[in-house]
Amino acid sequence: MAGKIFESDVLVIGSGLAGLLYSLKIARSRSVNIITKGTVTESSTSRAQGGIATVIGENDSFDSHVADTIRVGAGLCHSDVVKSIVASGPRIVQELTNLGVKFCKDSDDNEYDLGLEGGHSKRRVLHVKDHTGRDIEQTLTERVSEAPNITVFENHMGVNLYVRNNQVFGAYVLDDNMGDVERFSSRITVLATGGTGRVFLYTSNPDVATGDGIAMAYRAGASIVNMEMVQFHPTLLYHTKIRSFLITEALRGEGAILKGHDGRRFMPDYHPDAELAPRDIVARAIDNELKKTGADHVWLDISFKDTDFIVERFPAIYEKCLEAGIDITQEPIPVVPAAHYVMGGVRADINGRTDVNGLFAIGETACTGFHGANRLASNSLLETSVSALNAAQQLDAELERLGPPIEIPPWDPGAATDPDELVVVSHMWDEIRRLMANYVGIVRSSKRLIRARNRIGFLAREIGTFYWDFKVTRDLLELRNIATVAELIIRMARMRRESRGAHFNKDYPSLANEAVDTLVRKGYEPVIQA
Ligand code: SIN
């Protein structure tokens, strides 16, 4: 059977801030198909609690935001990219406000209420209480539902991009409702699939964060950079039943302190900025405390602040913790670090353009060089929005440059049969996530990375056999993608013979003389680039 074919000027894969904002900006004149694996609002954006870092305050400056981003990025940021994105901040706030996002204002003077987070030398995080991402996602979803020319396909997952002569013409897509693979033909394809947190056992990311865009781009021949740079958020709620719930860094911005089981505040031992040190330092300090004491979590305490303030400023965290039996106004919160954000990704410029024609990558899927080796808190919504607007602005010129589409041939399932033992897929999922947590976590070593490489090599070969022998399902596709992403992270972690930002290898504990990007492209020798 030939399978259905859907055509549009642009195919957007993913429905977080990146995909929705980009689509809204082009929909007046161009047709857009958005595919999303789950429902529209299931995205990393929805979980962003902190906010969007932007220079708004009178005593702040672009130079200061640029300097903080570069310092926290541990020498790996591309400074031209940083300057350009930071300078676009006020435009982004205006854009999101026009779309209907209501950032919190101070009731006294009606000025924006600016939050403080680790690594920032000034208060500059615009937020909607502690559920900024949820509000942004809901607002954009409403605008998309009213927009002309946008069709959203829920429960649809990209299988592979269709590439000819280094140009992408759309994708094969699994309709998870029907179990069929369909063709989505487009002149431009935008990867906006978010991050890769699900590659690790413990993560703040939603279930959908399986690095699909990065894996598809890699298979299509795009350059992938700096995948070893995985940021671990220091404070995820530690609870047996409530999984993946973040406790925003903004709590520490408002004075919350980290304590061990002996009640002692330990962060001043590690960094002069204590709880507000860059995230990689706080995560490693907690990891060290856990290893030293054998405890399974540390405590984050804000209970000494005024109860009304806590409930008003952090309503979502207050409610969620109450559900878990913890009253944060009275007692400390048990927390652990967990995989949160990948600084690496598909190499893209600040217009989202990759090195494959017709293929764009925006948001966490992309690596523009903005975050360097360690992302400054609340800088990701900013980068995503700037890339989305820039890419939208470039669209007409890009379409002119690329010429007409070509027809995608029907999907060939070969001799694939229904899988007889789906439970094996979940076993392999579990194996990968555990090996990444055990061998490629916050503190790495060369021996552990070799162990990880050997194991992932074996699993990837097995998964390849599964992929060819059995009809594709969402679980199987996600498994194939997390295996690819895990392989990329391990490979690039082995290429980096130093410790920098989020990548710490005990066998190379210092910075190398030169800051370089690691780069892998299918069919080419891996390189490190100054
Ligand atoms: C947080 O609120 O702590 C997370 C925000 C971010 O990752 O930038």
Side-chain angles (χ1 to χ4, degrees):
M1 209 177 67
K4 288 188 204 147
I5 181 153
F6 298 90
E7 290 172 0
S8 57
D9 292 318
V10 180
L11 170 64
V12 173
I13 306 183
S15 61
L17 171 62
L20 297 186
L21 184 58
Y22 173 83
S23 301
L24 283 168
K25 294 310 287 181
I26 61 170
R28 217 166 285 136
S29 57
R30 299 289 175 183
S31 59
V32 190
N33 284 333
I34 301 179
I35 62 163
T36 184
K37 269 197 309 197
T39 58
V40 179
T41 50
E42 239 178 295
S43 67
S44 294
T45 301
S46 294
R47 293 195 175 202
Q49 295 178 350
I52 179 160
T54 315
V55 175
I56 294 275
E58 262 175 22
N59 64 350
D60 199 359
S61 68
F62 290 140
D63 284 349
S64 161
H65 189 179
V66 166
D68 290 347
T69 301
I70 290 177
R71 179 176 42 79
V72 169
L76 206 60
C77 298
H78 296 198
S79 59
D80 50 337
V81 170
V82 177
K83 285 180 194 152
S84 168
I85 290 181
V86 162
S88 302
R91 171 168 74 112
I92 296 305
V93 171
Q94 194 55 55
E95 192 72 49
L96 292 174
T97 306
N98 291 346
L99 286 166
V101 178
K102 293 187 175 59
F103 293 107
C104 286
K105 293 198 166 174
D106 200 312
S107 49
D108 296 338
D109 56 9
N110 205 31
E111 296 291 332
Y112 284 116
D113 179 47
L114 300 174
L116 178 67
E117 294 182 35
H120 287 279
S121 56
K122 297 272 159 43
R123 282 190 172 265
R124 61 166 75 98
V125 180
L126 273 83
H127 62 96
V128 186
K129 302 202 171 187
D130 61 350
H131 43 75
T132 313
R134 191 175 80 197
D135 279 39
I136 291 179
E137 183 77 31
Q138 273 169 2
T139 305
L140 297 196
T141 302
E142 276 166 35
R143 297 294 87 80
V144 162
S145 70
E146 301 152 1
N149 297 327
I150 303 181
T151 312
V152 179
F153 296 78
E154 293 188 325
N155 303 314
H156 279 63
M157 175 175 183
V159 178
N160 279 333
L161 299 168
Y162 184 70
V163 199
R164 280 293 164 269
N165 302 322
N166 198 42
Q167 182 164 341
V168 168
F169 294 95
Y172 290 108
V173 173
L174 172 70
D175 173 352
D176 204 20
N177 302 309
M178 307 302 293
D180 295 332
V181 176
E182 296 161 345
R183 288 170 283 168
F184 278 69
S185 159
S186 61
R187 295 169 69 195
I188 300 269
T189 301
V190 179
L191 297 172
T193 60
T196 62
R198 289 280 150 191
V199 173
F200 290 86
L201 195 57
Y202 302 109
T203 175
S204 62
N205 290 187
D207 287 346
V208 291
T210 50
D212 304 329
I214 295 173
M216 277 192 283
Y218 174 69
R219 290 195 287 273
S223 296
I224 311 293
V225 283
N226 293 344
M227 288 297 291
E228 71 282 19
M229 295 300 177
V230 177
Q231 180 169 77
F232 288 80
H233 194 290
T235 57
L236 203 78
L237 176 67
Y238 176 80
H239 193 266
T240 46
K241 296 221 173 67
I242 299 175
R243 289 189 317 139
S244 301
F245 187 71
L246 191 74
I247 308 293
T248 178
E249 192 157 319
L251 235 81
R252 281 176 276 134
E254 298 301 340
I257 57 169
L258 284 160
K259 299 192 296 196
H261 284 259
D262 55 2
R264 203 177 71 84
R265 184 180 176 205
F266 56 82
M267 272 315 297
D269 302 346
Y270 291 89
H271 195 276
D273 292 338
E275 282 81 3
L276 289 178
R279 239 173 230 182
D280 58 328
I281 291 166
V282 182
R284 270 198 299 279
I286 296 176
D287 185 67
N288 191 47
E289 290 294 312
L290 296 180
K291 284 181 177 145
K292 218 166 60 181
T293 61
D296 41 20
H297 63 82
V298 294
W299 299 103
L300 180 67
D301 194 0
I302 195 163
S303 63
F304 50 85
K305 296 278 278 195
D306 177 63
T307 296
D308 290 343
F309 167 77
I310 297 174
V311 176
E312 168 65 19
R313 175 66 177 84
F314 301 109
I317 292 175
Y318 173 70
E319 286 297 331
K320 194 64 164 187
C321 287
L322 265 192
E323 209 183 288
I326 305 156
D327 180 351
I328 68 170
T329 67
Q330 303 300 320
E331 57 192 320
I333 311 165
V335 291
V336 282
H340 181 59
Y341 190 91
V342 62
M343 273 71 72
V346 184
R347 184 165 74 169
D349 64 17
I350 51 166
N351 302 315
R353 193 183 288 117
T354 71
D355 44 23
V356 176
N357 289 319
L359 183 65
F360 283 66
I362 316 177
E364 193 174 348
T365 308
C367 177
T368 62
F370 180 53
H371 303 304
N374 185 38
R375 178 175 63 88
L376 183 64
S378 286
N379 255 357
S380 48
L381 296 181
L382 174 64
E383 184 209 32
T384 298
S385 307
V386 174
S387 294
L389 294 192
N390 288 351
Q393 253 167 15
Q394 303 287 319
L395 180 64
D396 287 344
E398 200 62 28
L399 285 173
E400 203 159 300
R401 193 177 75 79
L402 289 171
I406 62 169
E407 200 180 308
I408 303 182
W411 172 251
D412 177 8
T417 57
D418 283 319
D420 48 0
E421 269 209 298
L422 271 180
V423 69
V424 177
V425 172
S426 70
H427 290 165
M428 287 197 274
W429 254 89
D430 191 58
E431 251 181 283
I432 294 177
R433 298 182 67 199
R434 264 176 216 284
L435 88 84
M436 292 302 284
N438 291 338
Y439 301 141
V440 201
I442 296 175
V443 174
R444 301 166 177 171
S445 75
S446 300
K447 239 192 210 161
R448 283 174 182 227
L449 291 177
I450 290 173
R451 243 181 236 149
R453 183 205 57 189
N454 293 344
R455 281 162 174 73
I456 194 68
F458 176 76
L459 283 164
R461 278 191 296 281
E462 259 196 336
I463 291 163
T465 320
F466 250 74
Y467 176 73
W468 291 113
D469 289 351
F470 298 119
K471 282 189 189 148
V472 292
T473 62
R474 173 172 160 179
D475 280 350
L476 182 52
L477 293 176
E478 288 185 334
L479 175 67
R480 182 173 70 134
N481 291 340
I482 65 162
T484 301
V485 168
E487 269 190 308
L488 288 166
I489 294 173
I490 295 164
R491 200 161 156 202
M492 291 177 166
R494 294 195 64 235
M495 285 162 72
R496 187 171 292 283
R497 307 231 156 141
E498 62 167 347
S499 290
R500 182 183 294 277
H503 172 76
F504 186 86
N505 182 337
K506 283 198 295 193
D507 297 307
Y508 299 99
S510 328
L511 282 177
N513 289 338
E514 206 183 1
V516 293
D517 289 324
T518 52
L519 185 151
V520 167
R521 193 172 183 186
K522 203 171 160 198
Y524 293 79
E525 280 299 305
V527 286
I528 43 181
Q529 286 194 330

